[in-house]
Amino acid sequence: MSHPHTTHGTAHPDPSTAPRPPENPAAPHREDALPTAPATPTTPAHTPPAALRTALDAHLAGAARAWLDQALDEAATHPGGHGPISVWELRLAEAARRCGPVHADAARVLILHAAGADTDALARVYQQGTADERRAVLYALPHLVPGPEALPLVEDALRTNDTRLLAAAVGPYAARHLDAHQWRHAVLKCLFTGVPVGHVADLDRRSHGDGELARMLADYAAERTAAGRPVPEDLHRVLALTGPATPSPRPAGPHGKES
C-alpha cells in the first residue's frame, strides 16, 4: 500500500461546529508548507490526555463536543483492533470535518488514547492513514507506548520530506528513545528541510556537550558557506547548545576577591 504524504482537501466543518478562528488564520496546509507554532492552545504530544480533553471542551462548539464524546465512548467500548477496521479508526478520518482542522490533531490523539491503541494498531493506522492521521499517531506515541517498540514509525517519518510529519516525529517519544546517532541526524534533517528546531523535544538536554553533533553542524555550515548559501539561524542556536555550560563565577571573599 502506498504511503501518502499529503493531505487532500480537508472538508470545512459545519458552521455550527466550527471552532473560533484564530486572529491570524494559517494558510491551507500543503506538504511543502513549513510547520509553525501549533494553532491549538495545547500541543498534543506534550499534553496529558486529560488536560487535552479539558482544552478541547473549552474550544469546541456544542455539536463538535457531542461528536467527540460519542467517538471517545465508541473507542473505549470497542478498543484495540477488533476486525479489519475498528469504529474508532473511522472516527479518525472524520475528526477534521467534525471538530475543525485546528482541533483535529488533538481529537485524533484522544480517540487513539481512548481506544488504548497498541503498537500494532498504531502501525496499522500510520501505514494506511493519511498524512494527518500519521501525524496524530506520532503525537500519540508518548501517551501510549512506554518503550521503543514504535520507533520504526518515527524512523519512517524522518525519512520523508513532509515537514509537518517531521515536526511531529521529533517530539517527546523520539527524545526519549532515539539513540544518539539517530537523534543527531533527526536534528540535521530539521535543518535541511527548514523545520524549526523549536519542535525538537528536549533539545537543550540532548544537545548539551555533544561534540559529535557540534562537528556535524560545523561541517554542514561549512558546506553551505562554500556553496554561497546562508547558514540557518537555527544551526547557530543548536551549535551554541552543544558547548559546555559556562561555569558560575566563584563567590567573592570578604575583601571583594574571589575565594
Side-chain angles (χ1 to χ4, degrees):
M1 178 175 293
S2 62
H3 290 181
H5 298 302
T6 57
T7 303
H8 300 290
T10 301
H12 294 291
D14 184 275
S16 64
T17 64
R20 292 188 295 271
E23 293 181 3
N24 296 301
H29 167 59
R30 304 188 316 274
E31 180 179 23
D32 60 349
L34 298 183
T36 57
T40 51
T42 53
T43 304
H46 295 264
T47 307
L52 201 60
R53 177 67 189 277
T54 299
L56 272 188
D57 283 346
H59 286 80
L60 293 178
R65 284 199 306 274
W67 177 86
L68 182 61
D69 288 342
Q70 180 179 351
L72 296 178
D73 287 345
E74 289 172 341
T77 304
H78 304 286
H82 303 296
I85 189 167
S86 300
V87 173
W88 58 264
E89 293 181 57
L90 299 176
R91 300 295 174 253
L92 295 175
E94 299 177 17
R97 179 166 59 88
R98 297 289 191 168
C99 297
V102 169
H103 303 294
D105 282 335
R108 291 187 180 107
V109 168
L110 287 175
I111 292 169
L112 289 167
H113 186 265
D118 60 15
T119 304
D120 289 340
L122 292 168
R124 182 176 66 251
V125 172
Y126 182 89
Q127 291 161 4
Q128 299 178 359
T130 65
D132 286 343
E133 290 160 14
R134 289 179 166 205
R135 189 171 63 252
V137 168
L138 295 169
Y139 283 145
L141 291 180
H143 306 307
L144 291 170
V145 186
E149 305 92 293
L151 271 179
L153 304 183
V154 173
E155 293 164 355
D156 180 85
L158 291 173
R159 287 191 291 269
T160 74
N161 289 317
D162 183 327
T163 54
R164 297 185 74 191
L165 274 184
L166 289 172
V170 291
Y173 188 81
R176 194 179 303 155
H177 296 295
L178 281 180
D179 65 29
H181 176 77
Q182 291 174 309
W183 187 83
R184 292 180 190 121
H185 281 277
V187 173
L188 265 291
K189 184 66 176 276
C190 289
L191 294 172
F192 294 156
T193 57
V195 172
V197 295
H199 288 279
V200 181
D202 216 4
L203 178 66
D204 291 13
R205 181 187 65 82
R206 292 210 58 168
S207 296
H208 177 67
D210 191 334
E212 178 61 16
L213 178 60
R215 182 195 65 77
M216 294 168 67
L217 293 170
D219 288 349
Y220 179 52
E223 290 173 6
R224 290 188 66 89
T225 300
R229 303 179 67 185
V231 177
E233 285 298 321
D234 271 356
L235 186 147
H236 298 296
R237 173 186 170 188
V238 181
L239 189 58
L241 293 172
T242 63
T246 303
S248 301
R250 298 174 66 183
H255 303 292
K257 297 181 180 180
E258 290 187 354
S259 57

